[in-house]
Amino acid sequence: MAAENCPVRFGIIGCSRLAKKVTRAILLSPATTLHAISSASPEEAKQFAVANELPETVRICSSHEEVVDDPDVDAVFVPVPVGQHSRWGVAVAEKKKHLLMEKPGAVDLGELDKVLEACERNGVQFMDATMWLHHPRTGKMKELISDPKLVGNIGLIHTTSTAFIPRQFFETAVPAGKPAMETMGAVGELGWYGIGAVLWAKDFHLPSSVTALPDITKSSTGVILSCSAQLHYEQDNTVGIIHCSFLSHLTMELEIVGVNGSLYLGDFILPYKEQSAEFNFTWMAKFVERDLGWNVKPEKVEVVNEVSQEVLMVEEFARLVQGIKAGSPPDVKWAEICRKTQLVLDSVMKSIEIGCTCVTL
């Protein structure tokens, strides 16, 4: 079998909770196979292998270096704490392995650029693991918001990404409770999605300015537990509002409001169901005579998918890797998306640092 037709052989460094879904996706996809894993200790890696019913053919490595150095590994998924992303991302790229990185990209843009430059220098594919971008529902929504007759000029993009975690966790947990390792807290873990959704709706054009709102809550160790921010597009006066929090129950809302129509969904990051997803589309809404009701109800648009969004993600990644093996250059689109998201995230953090004042991009 030609090398470009063989399944992409993955290694995983860091057997965290975040690794479970991508591991499952790698095993489900015929385009990929799992070759090796490592974690903070060999025992932890063995426990992960048992808990996730990994095939006996998967190597349990004693260190991350062992995975990165393995000549039989084509690509590496890196779900280590964000404070270690730059170190291991560069290490993977320097060994000419393709890199699938857990989000957020890095602790800041400077650290992310080290990774992206290493990937470019070594001719390897980069992608961050923002799964919802790969769901066919996302493509269907893009069709609607790109049609000026349907949604039209966008005035507001509103997102929430929240998940309740007891405050005590952030006082004691390592590394989440240590600002030196996870400085961004909810902004990095959850706000990444909201920032990405605003950028996606605006065709990944950067906003003119970013301002954190003064509703910030931090733990006693300095981890951001809750935050909101405004992204302003001066040219067409679009406003994006993101809210991310560890202090509220689970929400994943995205609303896009245009001059002619609007979209709404409550599960944009992770669909309620694995095999299908939906959103509400409302077009040309107005009050009926004497303001006794509405002239239309939201239309439910359902998108059926054969496999989950994480499988679609690893299959797109594998397709790009196979293309590189056949002589094509890496697709820089995913690096550019990640870099822009990181830039806006850094701007939110900067606005928080300077007292919730406006940061111009």
Side-chain angles (χ1 to χ4, degrees):
M1 183 183 293
E4 61 267 23
N5 295 322
C6 296
V8 172
R9 300 166 297 181
F10 264 94
I12 296 176
I13 60 173
C15 296
S16 65
R17 174 183 59 84
L18 299 172
K20 293 180 180 180
K21 292 186 71 173
V22 175
T23 298
R24 176 174 178 263
I26 292 169
L27 295 174
L28 286 174
S29 172
T32 56
T33 185
L34 184 57
H35 179 75
I37 64 170
S38 63
S39 196
S41 69
E43 186 57 37
E44 189 174 285
K46 291 175 185 177
Q47 291 172 1
F48 182 87
V50 172
N52 292 275
E53 300 179 342
L54 301 189
E56 293 184 0
T57 53
V58 176
R59 287 188 61 211
I60 310 298
C61 297
S62 59
S63 67
H64 295 341
E65 288 88 352
E66 191 176 341
V67 174
V68 174
D69 289 340
D70 191 327
D72 293 324
V73 168
D74 302 308
V76 181
F77 175 50
V78 181
V80 296
V82 68
Q84 300 176 21
H85 279 197
S86 178
R87 173 192 174 189
W88 289 109
V90 170
V92 168
E94 293 293 358
K95 292 293 183 176
K96 300 193 182 300
K97 316 287 189 186
H98 304 280
L99 176 61
L100 180 61
M101 180 81 79
E102 182 55 56
K103 53 80 196 162
V107 293
D108 58 39
L109 187 61
E111 291 298 298
L112 176 61
D113 278 344
K114 293 178 183 178
V115 176
L116 299 182
E117 288 163 6
C119 288
E120 182 179 7
R121 186 168 60 250
N122 289 281
V124 297
Q125 183 62 48
F126 173 89
M127 181 184 288
D128 78 67
T130 305
M131 300 173 190
W132 74 274
L133 291 173
H134 301 270
H135 198 288
R137 174 177 64 179
T138 306
K140 182 63 178 178
M141 292 191 298
K142 177 59 78 172
E143 289 179 19
L144 296 185
I145 65 174
S146 298
D147 189 332
K149 296 180 180 179
L150 295 179
V151 173
N153 186 58
I154 296 171
L156 173 69
I157 306 158
H158 181 261
T159 78
T160 67
S161 178
T162 65
F164 180 75
I165 300 177
R167 281 177 181 251
Q168 300 93 299
F169 174 82
F170 297 98
E171 310 301 333
T172 59
V174 178
K178 304 297 182 182
M181 291 293 288
E182 299 286 353
T183 55
M184 296 172 286
V187 181
E189 180 69 19
L190 302 174
W192 181 270
Y193 294 112
I195 292 168
V198 174
L199 291 173
W200 166 82
K202 296 295 291 181
D203 294 325
F204 294 102
H205 295 302
L206 289 170
S208 308
S209 62
V210 173
T211 308
L213 303 181
D215 63 339
I216 300 157
T217 303
K218 295 183 179 181
S219 72
S220 63
T221 56
V223 177
I224 297 173
L225 303 182
S226 185
C227 175
S228 301
Q230 172 184 288
L231 285 58
H232 182 227
Y233 288 80
E234 186 175 6
Q235 184 174 2
D236 57 7
N237 210 31
T238 302
V239 174
I241 301 292
I242 70 160
H243 176 69
C244 53
S245 177
F246 292 133
L247 305 178
S248 304
H249 83 129
L250 186 65
T251 66
M252 302 177 179
E253 297 179 319
L254 171 60
E255 183 177 24
I256 301 171
V257 181
V259 66
N260 295 324
S262 60
L263 304 179
Y264 172 82
L265 58 161
D267 61 345
F268 86 94
I269 300 168
L270 176 64
Y272 296 127
K273 296 182 291 185
E274 189 171 69
Q275 302 301 325
S276 67
E278 59 191 37
F279 61 93
N280 287 337
F281 172 58
T282 306
W283 185 64
M284 300 298 287
K286 60 182 180 180
F287 292 133
V288 297
E289 187 177 355
R290 292 187 292 172
D291 296 349
L292 298 177
W294 292 49
N295 66 323
V296 295
K297 291 182 178 180
E299 173 191 354
K300 184 181 294 184
V301 181
E302 183 177 13
V303 179
V304 176
N305 51 294
E306 294 183 0
V307 296
S308 67
Q309 61 184 15
E310 54 267 24
V311 172
L312 292 169
M313 178 186 70
V314 300
E315 290 188 339
E316 171 63 7
F317 184 81
R319 183 187 70 80
L320 294 172
V321 171
Q322 299 289 23
I324 294 168
K325 290 181 179 180
S328 298
D331 187 343
V332 300
K333 175 182 76 171
W334 298 106
E336 291 172 352
I337 289 172
C338 184
R339 192 177 191 279
K340 288 181 177 181
T341 309
Q342 184 78 51
L343 174 59
V344 176
L345 190 151
D346 284 7
S347 299
V348 173
M349 297 299 294
K350 180 64 175 179
S351 180
I352 293 171
E353 179 185 333
I354 60 177
C356 297
T357 55
C358 179
V359 174
T360 302
L361 276 72

